[in-house]
Amino acid sequence: MEIFDYDNVLLLPRKCRVESRAECDASVELGGRSFRIPVVPANMKTVVDEKICTWLAQNGYFYVMHRFDLDNIQFVKDMHASGCYASISLGVKKPDYDTVDQLVALGLTPEYITIDIAHGHADSVKNMIAYLKAKMPRAFVIAGNVATPEAIIDLENWGADATKVGVGPGKVCITKLKTGFGTGGWQLSALKWCARVATKPIIADGGIRSHGDIAKSIRFGASMVMIGSLFAGHEESPGKTVEVDGELFKEYYGSASDFNKGEYKHVEGKSILEPIKGKLADTLVEMEQDVQSSISYAGGTRLMDVRKVNYVILGGDNAGEHLLM
Ligand SMILES: NC(=O)C1=CN([C@@H]2O[C@H](COP(=O)(O)OP(=O)(O)OC[C@H]3O[C@@H](n4cnc5c(N)ncnc54)[C@H](OP(=O)(O)O)[C@@H]3O)[C@@H](O)[C@H]2O)C=CC1
Ligand SMILES: Nc1nc2c(ncn2[C@@H]2O[C@H](COP(=O)(O)O)[C@@H](O)[C@H]2O)c(=O)[nH]1
């Protein structure tokens, strides 16, 4: 198997087919809705809150609300009252089943439900998918996180409508160090490996460090990417603002960090400071423009044209040009 990651792969251009990058369509379809870009901010407490999720939904973007210290019922009610789709996260424990029961009792169905646990290739996820499919058959269920083709096959067979790939590549992740497991350092080739067997959309989660990594993820089989660190340092970001030597930063911490959990038990995340870099809306526009440029370099007009390009691996044992024959 070829092992590579975002920083040692480059995509190869094909003859341009547009006169302007504005002709390139960066939108993607997921669960029956079209979104402006194939990007979703991570469902983490220092990345999204109710206000940001509402703004994203109202402006044509996909969002997944986090599941920590949150009244999911009220959130779904508020989103629907604002005329927006509701996209929530669930775990696999008793309170998560209670949430589903309450939503059903109130006749509320979130349009998207993300089952979000560290080790998503598990019977606990199988059981939750089955419960959701029985109680809320119209909800689009995303399940994760996983790292192998076996896991993708199982999650899809268990009924997931999409899967989320990435165990340990995140910027505030310490899973690799604490457990010796994961896709940290080879997330892009893990994505490629998983995509070979996938028949439903994959969300590539974690490890995106620059906008060009979005196109690379699409090339290797993702339909969408989930990003935390690139979103955590905006003026509106929910993390605490911290001043260091006259410079402003935002706190960004892992969902499995003691900061999020409130205790030091099974900690697999840390806290860092992200420099503040302006408004979220501006970053999203820049991402859209950069994805449009990627599509134009791919010689295409639509997002999935990026899948057709060749690539090179720089350095290492797998170095070389990889041509689509
Ligand atoms: N993408 C990634 O690499 C990672 C992401 N995270 C994020 O952190 C948050 C908290 O995750 P998580 O701790 O799973 O959530 P929860 O604390 O809600 O745990 C979910 C369930 O999975 C069990 N569980 C968790 N890890 C394992 C494991 N390695 N093996 C067996 N069972 C396990 C837990 O039991 P018990 O606690 O008793 O073991 C619990 O029953 C989530 O948002 C998750 O996405 C966390 C780590 C890695
Ligand atoms: N191993 C851990 N992974 C975590 C934790 N909290 C979140 N995450 C994952 O990271 C991505 C975001 O990655 P980034 O590189 O874009 O910053 C997020 O979507 C989760 O999958 C954690 O505590 N430990």
Side-chain angles (χ1 to χ4, degrees):
M1 186 169 63
E2 288 173 337
I3 299 298
F4 51 82
D5 211 348
Y6 292 106
D7 56 4
N8 66 332
V9 159
L10 277 175
L11 306 177
L12 291 178
R14 283 157 48 114
K15 183 170 180 292
C16 187
R17 284 205 286 139
V18 294
E19 284 184 17
S20 162
R21 284 165 284 198
E23 293 168 44
C24 297
D25 178 4
S27 70
V28 69
E29 189 271 335
L30 188 75
R33 277 179 186 71
S34 178
F35 299 104
R36 282 174 65 170
I37 51 174
V39 173
V40 56
N43 50 345
M44 298 167 71
K45 244 175 130 175
T46 48
V47 176
V48 288
D49 57 14
E50 290 91 331
K51 200 171 163 196
I52 290 177
C53 289
T54 306
W55 185 90
L56 290 166
Q58 288 174 339
N59 286 276
Y61 298 104
F62 186 47
Y63 77 87
V64 178
M65 183 54 181
H66 66 74
R67 64 180 172 91
F68 308 106
D69 309 317
L70 176 84
D71 181 347
N72 255 328
I73 312 294
Q74 193 59 47
F75 179 79
V76 175
K77 281 184 188 169
D78 290 346
M79 294 307 287
H80 285 172
S82 309
C84 300
Y85 67 89
S87 174
I88 64 166
S89 300
L90 288 178
V92 294
K93 295 182 187 170
K94 169 87 170 54
D96 301 297
Y97 283 90
D98 294 344
T99 298
V100 178
D101 292 343
Q102 286 174 50
L103 287 168
V104 171
L106 292 165
L108 293 169
T109 298
E111 283 72 9
Y112 298 86
I113 300 177
T114 298
I115 306 171
D116 165 47
I117 66 168
H119 190 2
H121 191 192
D123 281 339
S124 58
V125 172
K126 178 184 183 179
N127 295 337
M128 181 52 99
I129 296 172
Y131 201 70
L132 290 173
K133 287 296 169 187
K135 300 277 180 179
M136 294 180 177
R138 285 185 298 114
F140 186 87
V141 176
I142 301 164
N145 274 22
V146 296
T148 62
E150 293 79 8
I152 298 285
I153 290 167
D154 277 346
L155 288 183
E156 289 193 355
N157 285 339
W158 296 341
D161 299 302
T163 55
K164 202 143 68 74
V165 169
V167 174
K171 192 162 177 185
V172 285
C173 169
I174 53 170
T175 298
K176 184 168 81 173
L177 304 175
K178 296 271 279 179
T179 72
F181 280 78
T183 59
W186 65 292
Q187 165 72 0
L188 194 58
S189 47
L191 169 64
K192 180 186 175 198
W193 194 35
C194 289
R196 281 203 174 144
V197 300
T199 62
K200 295 174 181 178
I202 290 181
I203 299 177
D205 180 10
I208 301 278
R209 299 287 171 265
S210 35
H211 295 187
D213 296 345
I214 301 167
K216 291 179 188 178
S217 305
I218 302 296
R219 165 62 184 82
F220 289 102
S223 294
M224 194 170 270
V225 298
M226 179 171 265
I227 304 180
S229 57
L230 290 185
F231 284 118
H234 288 95
E235 288 166 21
E236 313 89 322
S237 300
K240 210 168 31 170
T241 304
V242 177
E243 189 177 331
V244 181
D245 297 335
E247 264 192 77
L248 291 179
F249 296 82
K250 283 275 181 169
E251 191 179 37
Y252 174 46
Y253 56 71
S255 304
S257 67
D258 43 338
F259 304 93
N260 201 59
K261 290 179 165 218
E263 61 173 340
Y264 199 92
K265 190 177 174 207
H266 287 308
V267 162
E268 290 184 28
K270 62 180 181 180
S271 178
I272 61 172
L273 295 177
E274 284 290 334
I276 294 194
K277 57 181 173 216
K279 297 221 170 289
L280 178 66
D282 294 337
T283 296
L284 288 163
V285 167
E286 189 181 337
M287 277 182 180
E288 183 171 3
Q289 292 171 354
D290 289 341
V291 173
Q292 286 177 309
S293 293
S294 299
I295 296 167
S296 79
Y297 280 114
T301 56
R302 294 172 308 113
L303 183 68
M304 289 304 153
D305 290 331
V306 172
R307 293 252 173 105
K308 300 172 187 161
V309 303
N310 296 314
Y311 62 95
V312 290
I313 301 179
L314 311 166
D317 291 344
N318 303 305
E321 187 177 4
H322 295 259
L323 303 174
L324 288 170
M325 298 299 183

